[in-house]
Amino acid sequence: MTFENYKLVRERTEHLCVNLETEDFVVQAEEFVSPTKWHLAHSSWFFETFLLKKYLSDYREFHPDFSFFFNSYYNAVGERTARNHRGLMTRPTVEEVFDYRAYIDDQMHGFLAKPINDEIRDTLILGLNHEQQHQELLLTDLKFNLWLNPLFPAVLNIKEYPKQNGKGWINIKEGIYFIGHNGGGFCFDNELGRHQYFLEGYSISSNLVTNGEYLEFIKEGGYSKPEYWHSDGWAWVSENNITGPLYWMENKNGYQYYTLDGLKEIDMDAPVSHLSYYEASAFAEWAGCRLPTEQEWEVASGKFDWGTRWEWTNSAYLPYPRFQKAPGAIGEYNGKFMVNQMVLRGGSVATAPGHTRITYRNFFHPPFRWQFTGIRLCQK
Amino acid sequence: MTFENYKLVRERTEHLCVNLETEDFVVQAEEFVSPTKWHLAHSSWFFETFLLKKYLSDYREFHPDFSFFFNSYYNAVGERTARNHRGLMTRPTVEEVFDYRAYIDDQMHGFLAKPINDEIRDTLILGLNHEQQHQELLLTDLKFNLWLNPLFPAVLNIKEYPKQNGKGWINIKEGIYFIGHNGGGFCFDNELGRHQYFLEGYSISSNLVTNGEYLEFIKEGGYSKPEYWHSDGWAWVSENNITGPLYWMENKNGYQYYTLDGLKEIDMDAPVSHLSYYEASAFAEWAGCRLPTEQEWEVASGKFDWGTRWEWTNSAYLPYPRFQKAPGAIGEYNGKFMVNQMVLRGGSVATAPGHTRITYRNFFHPPFRWQFTGIRLCQK
Amino acid sequence: MTFENYKLVRERTEHLCVNLETEDFVVQAEEFVSPTKWHLAHSSWFFETFLLKKYLSDYREFHPDFSFFFNSYYNAVGERTARNHRGLMTRPTVEEVFDYRAYIDDQMHGFLAKPINDEIRDTLILGLNHEQQHQELLLTDLKFNLWLNPLFPAVLNIKEYPKQNGKGWINIKEGIYFIGHNGGGFCFDNELGRHQYFLEGYSISSNLVTNGEYLEFIKEGGYSKPEYWHSDGWAWVSENNITGPLYWMENKNGYQYYTLDGLKEIDMDAPVSHLSYYEASAFAEWAGCRLPTEQEWEVASGKFDWGTRWEWTNSAYLPYPRFQKAPGAIGEYNGKFMVNQMVLRGGSVATAPGHTRITYRNFFHPPFRWQFTGIRLCQK
Amino acid sequence: MTFENYKLVRERTEHLCVNLETEDFVVQAEEFVSPTKWHLAHSSWFFETFLLKKYLSDYREFHPDFSFFFNSYYNAVGERTARNHRGLMTRPTVEEVFDYRAYIDDQMHGFLAKPINDEIRDTLILGLNHEQQHQELLLTDLKFNLWLNPLFPAVLNIKEYPKQNGKGWINIKEGIYFIGHNGGGFCFDNELGRHQYFLEGYSISSNLVTNGEYLEFIKEGGYSKPEYWHSDGWAWVSENNITGPLYWMENKNGYQYYTLDGLKEIDMDAPVSHLSYYEASAFAEWAGCRLPTEQEWEVASGKFDWGTRWEWTNSAYLPYPRFQKAPGAIGEYNGKFMVNQMVLRGGSVATAPGHTRITYRNFFHPPFRWQFTGIRLCQK
């Protein structure tokens, strides 16, 4: 772990913003997304708070209010910096936020020039993984924010709809398997508690469901037949008048979708994206299949390509055996979300290179779909 | 299965209402509860629809509109019989609903006088289990409806707060166990798919958490410390200003609770009731323990007393391996609820005698607490 | 003012309920309506509170909690008797409420057997006018409550859609006119402050707009053309998906409407009813006319028939010159509503005989339409 | 009317923005305010649409989509440019909007170099008045948008809290007065229909209510005593937890308020500002006075200083006699708002110089208070 490792991650974050106008950094279309500017500042705040302020006795903060403005963890700090007001913080300006990043990087340069102990090393690695998570959120939030812009700006080409080359079904035999992180390298706390798990035999698809296959589901009335849907899913479809994946826009000639590279024609062979758990599950039901559990996904993951879509599993996000919350602010992160959410496995076109792994447990509430989420089918 | 079996269940339903005034049968305080009258009619509708109309060629309906009014399954039938309007159906009157019940019973008497085949027998048993489920809902809905009545009427004494006699912790060893219904007697479809499950060793409490123990949690500030709560649970507490179990009412001298037998002093030794999953989980966290999974509960259930409280588990309500939805209206019942809900095991003081069993999977969304729900602690 | 006067008003209230079932008395479909039972009790509470308890030193209350349950004036008394919970008060029962009425009447009999002073006399008259207002609300609330009943019960025939016999336009000349109550007989405080008012010349219609004329407006797309509507009215139409008067129900053969006497065919010659101010105003705009101001209505009222519909005027409900709130609970009644409401003049088929007069100022928020409201056109 | 007149108004708009950062132009804190950028573009759109495109046969639009983006009049044009999404339009950028303004000004220069007819002249004057209205909204919206910024930026000093020098009460005698615009110079359509109006005698204050006087009302519990408030006002106070004027912030030492020039100490002698109609009315009730009607204000306006606060009157916004909506998009402006709003008279520190007059009728819904609104008392 050297400053070079740190710098590589940090520079990637800024590189994602190269084509943005100042105005693009500011807006927040819904409470569940954050402005680009906020991600840039918050990921810097992590290093300032948990390393520089903690271990450098003579450290001078860049700005006395920033630790208040860019902290995402506090409960009930009051209206002015409430999560749904992040898009109203016109000051500090974008330029000042980049100055803040530069200041932090400069300080970290000095800090990492000297030898570091294990505790610092662990926090540093956690901070870089944290920044990578915010890289993905920066991209997915940006897409959501710019989509509501009537000009559909093109700002980045991350090849959102790649080809895939898998073939047919993979069969896995009944047996006891080990689940969870095996101890080498970094992982989040929710991957720990490696444990045995009994699985009956099953088949899992080599490929993700494609746009073309999903269009068939739409055309056969998938969104208007309650029998494919969970009760909560049907309520969600009805109340929100959902008729297709997020970012799909119907016109006279068919559908287009919005990408960070602008409006595009639908690529029928590419994996479908931006679906809620409810939609993923209804599609599987319609197809006479089911979604895999997270254990089924993990056990079979060596036999298929993954990493372009976060794949909804049919597993609720729950603690593994012997799960323990780490003490303090850092450790609280994952445990408190272990209800009402479903596990997603894999990674996506927006995930930072090297960030994810087969034991990685991503999770979202069932209706959310602004991440690059997709479907892999399973059957007995 | 004779008419006597049928009659026993049916009479119990009506017996629960002996002390009610006509007005008490009508009201619906919130969308998630139904009027007493509606339960009385809907459980009759089941026998009319799935037995009498189906198998008696010359059957004459009691009233042509009742199958529309008292059907709970239809999707999107329109505003007038919408679930949240059940409390506005002043007609048919309570008397007419009892006439409807008598008519159905009379018809069933004739129907069951002749030999019945297995299909009919299965539907009959399902209908009686369905009626028993509505007996429990009738009681819990009634309690909720009357509680918002400023006079706190006393209408039934079901001994809501019984004593318990367990002792200490029960240890269960690591191993592979079988989970799910083993085939003898009636069960619901969600209990099928009996399968092997690997469990690490654990300890589970002989007793449920008591009112006295829960009061300690309240007094130590349990409802104001976010560290004990899931993120969603904390939001629920804050938005709804929750400070104690449902039906607890604070006054100058402490707490009272509302029961179907009127307002009572808190019995400190009786098991606490009317908690959401969020509260059950926060209490466990505060106590340095955890909730059991549904598998842990099922495996240990032979070693403790249960049946006075539905016990929140830390298992999300998900399909067992090889779960199949039965075709048609009847079979759809359980599958479509398998998201966003947590499993409860056991039974309660409001459960019909003989209705539940150790493989029974009850389920509710985490915030609900108008059932007689309680807490059994678990630890590694 | 004798007990006979009192008795006549009181008996009429109960007479309106003769065909109701117990269940019909209980329900409350929306917060803005009250259960029949509540009107019966609240109007009795008035006499108990402002006469019996005040002037009879040895008066014993019928029930110690009733003054709390049936008081409509209190601010912030807490959830249990909140306005939107009136429909949950199953106790006191309907029978107990009638007992309460009988008790009050019996006490009033004794009270009025002795000579009364002017203060008592004024309060008594106010109480009877208050009861008459609740007679009208009892009917209009009952209609709304029973309408959401899938059986559309018929409970009373008040000839909701009478014929009318007026002819053409009435011309009124420019001049200074006196507006407000002239001092003889009872009036509400909002009619006082008789004052001069300058009016330019205008024409006002002898007849109210009919169902047939209103149907033409519907057929010509009145509900889909924003140019006829106020900005707030258009938002109301759009958000609530309004396409016709309240209680009109479209079927294959045209329209029916619900009346207290059950579902009926539309009478094309009868005056249209159950319109919001927004609809009344949009119709007038479509017809190339306008609504009269309340002064124009009052000045011309001697020249046309009125009393079957409350007629929306284009006057906001504001104080007359020299308006003073009377001190105490009784006097507060009208003044605090003088914002955001429009004045209606006349009376309706549901108004108690002898209750209204040409200076009577009724008022409602613009979207409300469960009263028998109608349209009289005006033009320069 | 020359290009110089035009230029003077246009330059003032841009001058108001001199101290803004790019980010400040973009945000929209609530649906009822617009981003600064939007005002800059929309006021230019007016000249492009109603003059350049209409009268210059060879006019080339600056951008084909701008007439869609910056039109405020359309009904139901769809989500993407919905009023509550104005703050999400990151493109066109601020720089492009200034380019748009420069382009329009350049074209107008050419257009106005030639003689213009009366119709064009009238539209030009209307366009400049329209731009002045948006200057005021630009400032008041900007204040609201920046206030939710945790750094409370100071961007402009418009002397929001000036001194006043009036003395005592002014008496006006009973009589018939003329109300409405008398024909000389520009006015809006809602000022026309000059008419006679009978007024009883009254007294009106020379001065506006001051911050110091309003603070007394707060300290005496004005916000917690329902007797001073309209029923709707009390509901507004309770639901929104209102305890003082908008922008007032309590701290240990008392109050500060936010101004466009940053946070300031309260000036006790300056006129209070940023009150809703409900607050203005409750204050008047507390003070034993009342608000004037708009006729009383207009008649007396020659005898007091006005123009620093929009003064709430007790008149609802209604049409004058003979009011006619002008045909087409321009004329529709005022008529459709004539319900549910109260009239304000005068002008404010944010009003463009020369824009207002004694017959000017401003109007807002009673709860709104982000304009510079104040109180002038009246009594019989």
Side-chain angles (χ1 to χ4, degrees), chain C residues 75 174 176 194-198 200 226-227 229-232 234 277-278 285 314-316 318-319 321-322 325 335-340 342 365-366 380, chain D residues 75 174 176 194-198 200 226-227 229-232 234 277-278 285 314-316 318-319 321-322 325 335-340 342 365-366 380:
Chain C
N75 274 294
E174 175 180 306
I176 291 195
R194 186 165 165 91
H195 58 282
Q196 299 174 67
Y197 200 91
F198 183 90
E200 304 192 356
E227 61 264 33
W229 297 81
H230 284 102
S231 177
D232 285 3
W234 185 244
Y277 167 79
Y278 297 131
E285 187 79 23
N314 208 42
S315 294
L318 291 167
R322 291 162 276 129
K325 288 207 238 178
K336 70 179 173 183
F337 297 113
M338 290 178 174
V339 68
N340 296 330
M342 300 303 283
H365 287 89
K380 169 65 18 198
Chain D
N75 273 294
E174 175 180 303
I176 291 197
R194 185 166 167 90
H195 58 283
Q196 299 174 67
Y197 199 91
F198 183 90
E200 304 192 358
E227 61 263 35
W229 297 81
H230 285 102
S231 177
D232 286 2
W234 185 246
Y277 167 79
Y278 297 130
E285 188 78 24
N314 209 42
S315 296
L318 291 168
R322 290 162 276 129
K325 288 207 238 177
K336 70 178 174 185
F337 297 113
M338 289 178 174
V339 67
N340 297 329
M342 298 303 282
H365 287 89
K380 168 68 13 196

Side-chain angles (χ1 to χ4, degrees), chain D residues 346-363:
Chain D
S348 87
V349 292
T351 309
H355 176 70
T356 187
R357 61 202 149 263
I358 63 160
T359 57
Y360 198 102
R361 304 177 80 199
N362 202 350
F363 50 89

Side-chain angles (χ1 to χ4, degrees), chain A residues 200 231-232 278 322 336 340, chain B residues 200 231 278 322 336 340:
Chain A
E200 304 192 356
S231 177
D232 286 3
Y278 297 130
R322 291 162 276 130
K336 69 179 174 184
N340 298 328
Chain B
E200 305 192 354
S231 178
Y278 297 131
R322 292 163 274 129
K336 69 180 175 184
N340 297 330

Side-chain angles (χ1 to χ4, degrees), chain C residues 172-229:
Chain C
I172 304 292
K173 291 207 177 124
E174 175 180 306
I176 291 195
Y177 294 90
F178 273 91
I179 297 294
H181 195 255
N182 68 3
F186 172 80
C187 75
F188 284 106
D189 60 354
N190 60 7
E191 302 167 59
L192 292 174
R194 186 165 165 91
H195 58 282
Q196 299 174 67
Y197 200 91
F198 183 90
L199 286 177
E200 304 192 356
Y202 62 99
S203 301
I204 192 165
S205 174
S206 295
N207 279 336
L208 296 167
V209 170
T210 65
N211 284 321
E213 288 160 350
Y214 199 80
L215 187 57
E216 232 179 296
F217 168 68
I218 296 176
K219 287 189 173 163
E220 292 197 10
Y223 282 93
S224 55
K225 296 182 180 166
E227 61 264 33
Y228 302 135
W229 297 81

Side-chain angles (χ1 to χ4, degrees), chain A residues 39-265:
Chain A
H39 288 297
L40 292 171
H42 169 71
S43 52
S44 304
W45 164 91
F46 188 101
F47 295 106
E48 185 175 53
T49 304
F50 297 112
L51 290 176
L52 299 173
K53 284 169 75 170
K54 191 163 170 193
Y55 298 105
L56 285 188
S57 55
D58 60 345
Y59 177 71
R60 292 182 52 190
E61 283 183 287
F62 179 73
H63 188 292
D65 291 336
F66 278 24
S67 81
F68 176 71
F69 295 169
F70 299 120
N71 179 353
S72 67
Y73 291 86
Y74 41 75
N75 274 294
V77 188
E79 182 184 32
R80 210 154 302 282
T81 52
R83 186 171 171 118
N84 61 338
H85 283 182
R86 286 179 184 165
L88 301 179
M89 272 202 217
T90 64
R91 319 286 181 93
T93 64
V94 173
E95 196 180 339
E96 287 166 325
V97 164
F98 276 100
D99 288 350
Y100 177 43
R101 287 186 70 88
Y103 178 82
I104 297 297
D105 289 350
D106 191 50
Q107 294 287 315
M108 286 295 290
H109 192 198
F111 180 63
L112 294 177
K114 296 164 199 157
I116 57 175
N117 62 26
D118 280 1
E119 185 183 86
I120 292 175
R121 191 180 158 281
D122 287 351
T123 305
L124 177 60
I125 292 173
L126 184 63
L128 294 176
N129 275 277
H130 175 260
E131 177 126 3
Q132 287 178 318
Q133 290 186 310
H134 280 280
Q135 287 172 0
E136 182 151 7
L137 287 171
L138 185 155
L139 289 175
T140 50
D141 290 2
L142 185 59
K143 185 172 178 179
F144 192 83
N145 285 325
L146 295 186
W147 178 56
L148 289 164
N149 202 310
L151 283 167
F152 301 111
V155 296
L156 198 69
N157 183 353
I158 56 167
K159 296 191 179 55
E160 298 185 13
Y161 290 92
K163 293 269 175 261
Q164 52 183 352
N165 308 301
K167 262 200 180 155
W169 294 89
I170 297 151
N171 296 308
I172 305 291
K173 289 206 179 124
E174 175 180 305
I176 292 196
Y177 294 90
F178 273 91
I179 297 294
H181 195 254
N182 68 3
F186 173 82
C187 76
F188 284 106
D189 60 355
N190 59 9
E191 302 167 59
L192 292 174
R194 184 165 167 90
H195 58 283
Q196 298 174 67
Y197 199 91
F198 183 90
L199 286 177
E200 304 192 356
Y202 62 98
S203 300
I204 193 165
S205 173
S206 296
N207 279 336
L208 296 167
V209 171
T210 64
N211 285 322
E213 289 160 348
Y214 199 81
L215 188 55
E216 232 177 297
F217 169 68
I218 296 177
K219 287 188 174 163
E220 293 197 9
Y223 282 93
S224 55
K225 297 183 181 166
E227 61 263 35
Y228 301 136
W229 297 82
H230 284 101
S231 177
D232 286 3
W234 185 245
W236 173 78
V237 162
S238 306
E239 280 160 28
N240 298 286
N241 203 19
I242 305 288
T243 59
L246 185 65
Y247 301 127
W248 283 39
M249 306 177 70
E250 204 168 3
N251 57 28
K252 289 173 203 168
N253 311 313
Y255 288 92
Q256 289 181 300
Y257 42 43
Y258 177 61
T259 75
L260 279 169
D261 199 29
L263 274 186
K264 304 281 181 192
E265 298 305 310

Side-chain angles (χ1 to χ4, degrees), chain A residues 176 195-196 198 200 227 230-232 277-278 285 314 316 318-319 322 325 336 338-340 365-366, chain B residues 75 176 195-196 198 200 227 230-232 277-278 285 314 316 318-319 322 325 336 338-340 365-366:
Chain A
I176 292 196
H195 58 283
Q196 298 174 67
F198 183 90
E200 304 192 356
E227 61 263 35
H230 284 101
S231 177
D232 286 3
Y277 168 78
Y278 297 130
E285 188 78 23
N314 208 42
L318 291 167
R322 291 162 276 130
K325 288 207 238 178
K336 69 179 174 184
M338 288 178 175
V339 68
N340 298 328
H365 287 88
Chain B
N75 274 293
I176 292 195
H195 58 283
Q196 299 174 68
F198 183 91
E200 305 192 354
E227 61 265 34
H230 284 103
S231 178
D232 286 1
Y277 167 80
Y278 297 131
E285 188 79 23
N314 209 41
L318 291 168
R322 292 163 274 129
K325 287 207 239 177
K336 69 180 175 184
M338 290 178 173
V339 67
N340 297 330
H365 287 89

